[in-house]
Amino acid sequence: LSESGVPQLVQPMIWDYAADLDVEGKVHLIEKYHRCGFSKVWLASAFKGATGVNQSLTLIGHHLKNHLQWLKVASNSPTDVLEGIALTGWQRYDHFSVLCELLPVAIPSLAVCLQALENGGYSEKTKENVEKLLGMSNLETETFMR
């Protein structure tokens, strides 16, 4: 791969939407890409649309856990290799499915995930920031929003 010249032309993106992603495995994958000559690697998460084909409400807790796992990957990876993280929000679970989790119901999840990434984690203070930003009195991350 390193002899092909591809590492000078592209930056790979590692996708994983699992709440319990393999942190150590992802770190090893990043290191492997780096050894092959890729100077930068991207990470990809999802704030909606990645938990089921007929999902209509966003599982905020699932997506928050995914982002917290990606933060662990980032903190255990070489700092000069990671370029960034792409927060995806899928409108369809796959190309042959109906629409799932429309954006309005996913705004709280997006806000939680962005705040977790910006603050390097999630705490009561982070929750309060999201509630204030969204004008909510009680943000629920482990149940569906009412």
PDB file of all heavy atoms in Angstrom, residues 48-49 53 89-100:
ATOM      1  N   LYS A  48     -27.474  10.288  14.395  1.00  0.00           N
ATOM      2  CA  LYS A  48     -28.813   9.770  14.110  1.00  0.00           C
ATOM      3  C   LYS A  48     -28.747   8.840  12.916  1.00  0.00           C
ATOM      4  O   LYS A  48     -27.781   8.846  12.157  1.00  0.00           O
ATOM      5  CB  LYS A  48     -29.811  10.890  13.821  1.00  0.00           C
ATOM      6  CG  LYS A  48     -29.680  11.512  12.430  1.00  0.00           C
ATOM      7  CD  LYS A  48     -30.791  12.518  12.202  1.00  0.00           C
ATOM      8  CE  LYS A  48     -30.960  12.821  10.738  1.00  0.00           C
ATOM      9  NZ  LYS A  48     -31.739  11.818  10.022  1.00  0.00           N
ATOM     10  N   GLY A  49     -29.801   8.021  12.787  1.00  0.00           N
ATOM     11  CA  GLY A  49     -29.978   7.236  11.577  1.00  0.00           C
ATOM     12  C   GLY A  49     -29.118   5.997  11.445  1.00  0.00           C
ATOM     13  O   GLY A  49     -29.000   5.466  10.358  1.00  0.00           O
ATOM     14  N   VAL A  53     -33.442   0.160  10.931  1.00  0.00           N
ATOM     15  CA  VAL A  53     -34.084   0.496   9.669  1.00  0.00           C
ATOM     16  C   VAL A  53     -35.405   1.232   9.864  1.00  0.00           C
ATOM     17  O   VAL A  53     -35.769   2.087   9.057  1.00  0.00           O
ATOM     18  CB  VAL A  53     -34.252  -0.760   8.798  1.00  0.00           C
ATOM     19  CG1 VAL A  53     -35.241  -1.735   9.424  1.00  0.00           C
ATOM     20  CG2 VAL A  53     -34.672  -0.396   7.397  1.00  0.00           C
ATOM     21  N   GLY A  89     -25.355  12.017   9.955  1.00  0.00           N
ATOM     22  CA  GLY A  89     -26.754  11.927  10.358  1.00  0.00           C
ATOM     23  C   GLY A  89     -27.534  11.331   9.209  1.00  0.00           C
ATOM     24  O   GLY A  89     -28.016  12.047   8.344  1.00  0.00           O
ATOM     25  N   TRP A  90     -27.650  10.021   9.200  1.00  0.00           N
ATOM     26  CA  TRP A  90     -28.258   9.315   8.083  1.00  0.00           C
ATOM     27  C   TRP A  90     -29.762   9.522   8.031  1.00  0.00           C
ATOM     28  O   TRP A  90     -30.441   9.437   9.031  1.00  0.00           O
ATOM     29  CB  TRP A  90     -27.919   7.826   8.163  1.00  0.00           C
ATOM     30  CG  TRP A  90     -26.449   7.607   8.056  1.00  0.00           C
ATOM     31  CD1 TRP A  90     -25.574   7.393   9.085  1.00  0.00           C
ATOM     32  CD2 TRP A  90     -25.665   7.654   6.878  1.00  0.00           C
ATOM     33  NE1 TRP A  90     -24.289   7.292   8.611  1.00  0.00           N
ATOM     34  CE2 TRP A  90     -24.326   7.450   7.243  1.00  0.00           C
ATOM     35  CE3 TRP A  90     -25.965   7.855   5.533  1.00  0.00           C
ATOM     36  CZ2 TRP A  90     -23.284   7.424   6.320  1.00  0.00           C
ATOM     37  CZ3 TRP A  90     -24.926   7.829   4.618  1.00  0.00           C
ATOM     38  CH2 TRP A  90     -23.606   7.614   5.008  1.00  0.00           C
ATOM     39  N   GLN A  91     -30.270   9.795   6.847  1.00  0.00           N
ATOM     40  CA  GLN A  91     -31.696   9.994   6.636  1.00  0.00           C
ATOM     41  C   GLN A  91     -32.394   8.671   6.330  1.00  0.00           C
ATOM     42  O   GLN A  91     -33.574   8.520   6.570  1.00  0.00           O
ATOM     43  CB  GLN A  91     -31.922  10.972   5.474  1.00  0.00           C
ATOM     44  CG  GLN A  91     -33.301  11.550   5.432  1.00  0.00           C
ATOM     45  CD  GLN A  91     -33.615  12.377   6.670  1.00  0.00           C
ATOM     46  OE1 GLN A  91     -32.859  13.242   7.082  1.00  0.00           O
ATOM     47  NE2 GLN A  91     -34.740  12.095   7.289  1.00  0.00           N
ATOM     48  N   ARG A  92     -31.639   7.735   5.795  1.00  0.00           N
ATOM     49  CA  ARG A  92     -32.137   6.383   5.530  1.00  0.00           C
ATOM     50  C   ARG A  92     -31.129   5.410   6.112  1.00  0.00           C
ATOM     51  O   ARG A  92     -29.930   5.618   6.008  1.00  0.00           O
ATOM     52  CB  ARG A  92     -32.264   6.114   4.030  1.00  0.00           C
ATOM     53  CG  ARG A  92     -33.265   6.983   3.324  1.00  0.00           C
ATOM     54  CD  ARG A  92     -33.306   6.622   1.828  1.00  0.00           C
ATOM     55  NE  ARG A  92     -34.064   7.603   1.082  1.00  0.00           N
ATOM     56  CZ  ARG A  92     -35.370   7.579   0.929  1.00  0.00           C
ATOM     57  NH1 ARG A  92     -36.070   6.622   1.473  1.00  0.00           N
ATOM     58  NH2 ARG A  92     -35.985   8.508   0.226  1.00  0.00           N
ATOM     59  N   TYR A  93     -31.633   4.326   6.674  1.00  0.00           N
ATOM     60  CA  TYR A  93     -30.749   3.306   7.234  1.00  0.00           C
ATOM     61  C   TYR A  93     -29.927   2.668   6.121  1.00  0.00           C
ATOM     62  O   TYR A  93     -28.764   2.346   6.293  1.00  0.00           O
ATOM     63  CB  TYR A  93     -31.567   2.265   7.989  1.00  0.00           C
ATOM     64  CG  TYR A  93     -30.729   1.321   8.796  1.00  0.00           C
ATOM     65  CD1 TYR A  93     -30.121   1.733   9.971  1.00  0.00           C
ATOM     66  CD2 TYR A  93     -30.546   0.010   8.395  1.00  0.00           C
ATOM     67  CE1 TYR A  93     -29.347   0.868  10.721  1.00  0.00           C
ATOM     68  CE2 TYR A  93     -29.781  -0.861   9.137  1.00  0.00           C
ATOM     69  CZ  TYR A  93     -29.182  -0.421  10.292  1.00  0.00           C
ATOM     70  OH  TYR A  93     -28.412  -1.275  11.028  1.00  0.00           O
ATOM     71  N   ASP A  94     -30.531   2.490   4.972  1.00  0.00           N
ATOM     72  CA  ASP A  94     -29.819   2.069   3.768  1.00  0.00           C
ATOM     73  C   ASP A  94     -30.578   2.620   2.559  1.00  0.00           C
ATOM     74  O   ASP A  94     -31.656   3.176   2.697  1.00  0.00           O
ATOM     75  CB  ASP A  94     -29.625   0.549   3.698  1.00  0.00           C
ATOM     76  CG  ASP A  94     -30.921  -0.234   3.612  1.00  0.00           C
ATOM     77  OD1 ASP A  94     -31.813   0.146   2.828  1.00  0.00           O
ATOM     78  OD2 ASP A  94     -31.039  -1.239   4.333  1.00  0.00           O
ATOM     79  N   HIS A  95     -30.031   2.460   1.387  1.00  0.00           N
ATOM     80  CA  HIS A  95     -30.605   3.093   0.196  1.00  0.00           C
ATOM     81  C   HIS A  95     -31.959   2.525  -0.230  1.00  0.00           C
ATOM     82  O   HIS A  95     -32.643   3.123  -1.046  1.00  0.00           O
ATOM     83  CB  HIS A  95     -29.617   2.998  -0.972  1.00  0.00           C
ATOM     84  CG  HIS A  95     -28.364   3.769  -0.740  1.00  0.00           C
ATOM     85  ND1 HIS A  95     -28.341   5.138  -0.678  1.00  0.00           N
ATOM     86  CD2 HIS A  95     -27.094   3.364  -0.510  1.00  0.00           C
ATOM     87  CE1 HIS A  95     -27.109   5.548  -0.442  1.00  0.00           C
ATOM     88  NE2 HIS A  95     -26.333   4.493  -0.330  1.00  0.00           N
ATOM     89  N   PHE A  96     -32.342   1.385   0.313  1.00  0.00           N
ATOM     90  CA  PHE A  96     -33.590   0.750  -0.083  1.00  0.00           C
ATOM     91  C   PHE A  96     -34.684   0.910   0.970  1.00  0.00           C
ATOM     92  O   PHE A  96     -35.731   0.291   0.861  1.00  0.00           O
ATOM     93  CB  PHE A  96     -33.338  -0.735  -0.363  1.00  0.00           C
ATOM     94  CG  PHE A  96     -32.262  -0.949  -1.379  1.00  0.00           C
ATOM     95  CD1 PHE A  96     -31.009  -1.393  -0.981  1.00  0.00           C
ATOM     96  CD2 PHE A  96     -32.478  -0.678  -2.717  1.00  0.00           C
ATOM     97  CE1 PHE A  96     -29.995  -1.566  -1.915  1.00  0.00           C
ATOM     98  CE2 PHE A  96     -31.469  -0.845  -3.651  1.00  0.00           C
ATOM     99  CZ  PHE A  96     -30.233  -1.295  -3.258  1.00  0.00           C
ATOM    100  N   SER A  97     -34.444   1.717   1.974  1.00  0.00           N
ATOM    101  CA  SER A  97     -35.378   1.856   3.099  1.00  0.00           C
ATOM    102  C   SER A  97     -36.134   3.171   3.064  1.00  0.00           C
ATOM    103  O   SER A  97     -35.743   4.114   2.376  1.00  0.00           O
ATOM    104  CB  SER A  97     -34.610   1.783   4.418  1.00  0.00           C
ATOM    105  OG  SER A  97     -33.978   0.549   4.564  1.00  0.00           O
ATOM    106  N   VAL A  98     -37.179   3.215   3.865  1.00  0.00           N
ATOM    107  CA  VAL A  98     -37.929   4.452   4.038  1.00  0.00           C
ATOM    108  C   VAL A  98     -37.115   5.405   4.910  1.00  0.00           C
ATOM    109  O   VAL A  98     -36.130   5.023   5.526  1.00  0.00           O
ATOM    110  CB  VAL A  98     -39.302   4.181   4.690  1.00  0.00           C
ATOM    111  CG1 VAL A  98     -40.155   3.315   3.796  1.00  0.00           C
ATOM    112  CG2 VAL A  98     -39.135   3.556   6.056  1.00  0.00           C
ATOM    113  N   LEU A  99     -37.570   6.648   4.994  1.00  0.00           N
ATOM    114  CA  LEU A  99     -36.891   7.625   5.829  1.00  0.00           C
ATOM    115  C   LEU A  99     -36.935   7.198   7.294  1.00  0.00           C
ATOM    116  O   LEU A  99     -37.904   6.597   7.754  1.00  0.00           O
ATOM    117  CB  LEU A  99     -37.546   8.999   5.687  1.00  0.00           C
ATOM    118  CG  LEU A  99     -37.454   9.646   4.319  1.00  0.00           C
ATOM    119  CD1 LEU A  99     -38.220  10.969   4.326  1.00  0.00           C
ATOM    120  CD2 LEU A  99     -36.022   9.861   3.886  1.00  0.00           C
ATOM    121  N   CYS A 100     -35.872   7.518   8.014  1.00  0.00           N
ATOM    122  CA  CYS A 100     -35.825   7.228   9.445  1.00  0.00           C
ATOM    123  C   CYS A 100     -35.293   8.460  10.178  1.00  0.00           C
ATOM    124  O   CYS A 100     -34.555   9.250   9.608  1.00  0.00           O
ATOM    125  CB  CYS A 100     -34.952   6.016   9.743  1.00  0.00           C
ATOM    126  SG  CYS A 100     -33.206   6.221   9.370  1.00  0.00           S
TER     127      CYS A 100
END
